[in-house]
Amino acid sequence: MLPHSGPRSRTFREVAALGREAGLLAPVAGTTTRAEVAVLFDWNNWWGLEELWGLPRNDFSYVDTVMRHYRPLWEHHYAVDVVSTRSDLSPYKVLVVPNAYLVDDEGAAAVTEFARSGGTVVMSFFSGVVDACNRVRPDGYPGAFRRLIGAKIDEYWPARPGERFTVDFADGHTTTADWWREDIHLETGTAVATYADGLLKGRAAVVANEFGAGRVVYFATLLEQDAFDRVLIGELRAAGVENRFDGLPAHLECTVREDERHEYLFLLNHDAEASVGVPVEGDGTDLLTGLPASGEVTVPPLGAAVVRRARQA
């Protein structure tokens, strides 16, 4: 923590300031967060996607894929838990499943039961293909999730370098996709979007399926990011996921921790130039400054605030 430039350096001053702020946050000890959205991360699936050869393409990056699903949730200020297939999924309204190529029987059953019990599953392509021993599941692709997505996949169609295709949504939006396509035949599912050109013209690119008391949305291609984000966030809103920070800029990180008496609102401004005003209901105190915080809190560039306020009944 003490660099070669000595105790008058910026690095040392900021580390010392962080130590002082950590002491001011002692009341936060023992608090918890509450999320209604979970992102599935599976170590065995990571191994299956990246360490085995002979897949339709061998340039998968599981971490990049997971971040592509997580980032829009962070930018729209949704509280998110990262879970495994062994986690208790009952607290969540939406489960996001990125490229679950390798999934064991217990994991497949957990995702299926989550949807059957009323949850919304958002799943990306090349999922449910093999079991825990990397054996292709029977009954057609995607073996573990065919009934869940309400469709059968005849073939996987990785895109050629530079190949792009147009995707038309049923609501009138048009976007592009690349990298991957799947030749999907709908069973109980319906097309949210279809390919508008190429040999798969008219085939589903995004599928929605009502399953039990829940809903499943399946992406059969790599949509351009804005279009993917629009569908993902739309499903969260349709599922009734709470978002008290809707409308605040993406570069403002917002987290709430709480105990029986208080909630603690953490605000971190990642912008180096602009301040952000954040509405605050009721009366509170910024633990970092000791100043009252009510009505609105201004978070300076690269600054932070931690507002404590009484929990509402």
Side-chain angles (χ1 to χ4, degrees), residues 69-260:
H69 291 70
Y70 173 79
R71 188 173 185 84
L73 303 173
W74 182 85
E75 290 179 339
H76 286 81
H77 312 299
Y78 285 98
V80 179
D81 286 343
V82 177
V83 300
S84 76
T85 55
R86 303 301 188 266
S87 301
D88 177 12
L89 302 179
S90 61
Y92 308 108
K93 294 181 178 179
V94 177
L95 176 65
V96 181
V97 183
N99 293 153
Y101 160 75
L102 184 152
V103 59
D104 61 20
D105 292 344
E106 187 175 348
V111 175
T112 301
E113 184 57 33
F114 177 82
R116 182 182 287 113
S117 299
T120 295
V121 175
V122 178
M123 181 180 293
S124 280
F125 55 84
F126 205 44
S127 290
V129 182
V130 299
D131 64 14
C133 297
N134 198 41
R135 296 174 299 200
V136 175
R137 290 180 175 274
D139 196 32
Y141 302 132
F145 299 127
R146 178 175 170 180
R147 291 182 60 242
L148 192 67
I149 72 170
K152 178 184 178 181
I153 299 168
D154 266 2
E155 293 181 290
Y156 296 119
W157 287 36
R160 295 184 295 272
E163 184 181 15
R164 298 187 68 81
F165 9 90
T166 305
V167 174
D168 289 340
F169 281 85
D171 63 6
H173 284 84
T174 296
T175 188
T176 58
D178 60 11
W179 208 80
W180 184 274
R181 284 184 297 173
E182 294 175 348
D183 183 8
I184 282 189
H185 296 256
L186 297 176
E187 295 178 326
T188 59
T190 58
V192 174
T194 56
Y195 299 109
D197 50 25
L199 294 176
L200 293 182
K201 181 177 180 178
R203 294 285 192 200
V206 183
V207 177
N209 188 42
E210 305 302 317
F211 187 85
R215 173 178 170 86
V216 182
V217 175
Y218 180 80
F219 293 89
T221 188
L222 187 67
L223 291 179
E224 124 185 334
Q225 188 71 52
D226 286 348
F228 174 81
D229 295 357
R230 182 174 62 84
V231 177
L232 175 60
I233 299 304
E235 291 301 323
L236 265 62
R237 290 171 176 162
V241 177
E242 179 184 354
N243 184 0
R244 60 188 289 182
F245 306 112
D246 194 25
L248 291 174
H251 57 75
L252 181 74
E253 186 172 355
C254 311
T255 303
V256 176
R257 301 188 66 86
E258 57 188 18
D259 56 25
E260 293 181 356

